[in-house]
C-alpha cells in the first residue's frame, strides 16, 4: 500500500495492444500463483511484473496523507513490507517474461 500502484495504473498507456492490469499488492509468490496460472493459459500473452520499490518510511509518509478510508494501519503496513517476496526471472517457479522495477 502507498507505493504508487494505482497512480501508475491510471497513467499507464497500453498503446501496444490489449492490456490487463492487476492493481494489487501480490506480495508473495503464493499471492501471484493464480494470476500467473491464468495468464499462462493464453499462449501469446506477455506476462510482466511491475515491482514498486519504496522504503518503509516513504510508504508510511504516503499512507498518512491518504484519506482516512484508504489508510492502512501502520502495523499492517509494516508487516506487509516485511513479507515481500520479489519476483525473479531466474531460479523461480514464476513465469514472468519481464520484470520492471520502479523506485520511489
Amino acid at each position: 500500500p502507498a507505493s504508487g500502484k494505482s497512480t501508475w495504473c491510471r497513467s499507464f498507456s497500453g498503446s501496444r495492444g490489449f492490456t490487463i492490469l492487476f492493481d494489487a499488492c501480490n506480495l508473495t509468490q503464493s499471492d501471484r500463483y493464480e494470476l500467473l496460472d491464468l495468464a499462462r493459459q493464453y499462449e501469446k500473452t506477455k506476462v510482466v511484473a511491475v515491482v514498486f520499490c519504496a522504503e518503509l518510511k516513504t510508504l508510511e509518509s504516503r499512507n498518512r496523507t491518504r484519506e482516512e478510508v484508504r489508510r492502512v494501519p501502520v502495523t499492517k503496513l509494516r508487516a506487509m513490507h516485511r513479507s515481500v517476496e520479489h519476483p525473479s526471472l531466474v531460479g523461480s517457479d514464476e513465469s514472468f517474461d519481464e520484470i520492471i522495477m520502479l523506485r520511489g
Side-chain angles (χ1 to χ4, degrees):
S3 65
K5 295 179 307 302
S6 298
T7 301
W8 185 85
C9 283
R10 282 192 299 272
S11 64
F12 178 80
S13 172
S15 61
R16 293 186 177 155
F18 191 74
T19 301
I20 298 173
L21 300 171
F22 289 95
D23 182 2
C25 290
N26 294 313
L27 299 172
T28 65
Q29 283 188 2
S30 62
D31 291 338
R32 299 184 288 268
Y33 179 81
E34 288 184 39
L35 288 174
L36 289 169
D37 192 45
L38 177 64
R40 287 293 167 215
Q41 292 179 25
Y42 302 91
E43 292 178 23
K44 296 181 182 182
T45 302
K46 182 176 180 181
V47 181
V48 179
V50 181
V51 180
F52 294 79
C53 302
E55 292 184 28
L56 181 58
K57 68 180 184 176
T58 301
L59 300 176
E60 289 176 349
S61 174
R62 289 178 184 171
N63 189 48
R64 281 192 298 274
T65 65
R66 288 175 147 190
E67 57 188 87
E68 190 171 343
V69 68
R70 294 187 61 232
R71 207 169 296 145
V72 177
V74 174
T75 54
K76 182 171 177 80
L77 183 70
R78 290 175 181 166
M80 292 174 79
H81 190 265
R82 281 191 306 272
S83 72
V84 172
E85 295 174 5
H86 290 286
S88 173
L89 294 174
V90 180
S92 174
D93 292 334
E94 295 184 304
S95 50
F96 290 107
D97 297 308
E98 182 179 353
I99 298 173
I100 299 170
M101 305 289 283
L102 301 177
R103 300 175 71 138

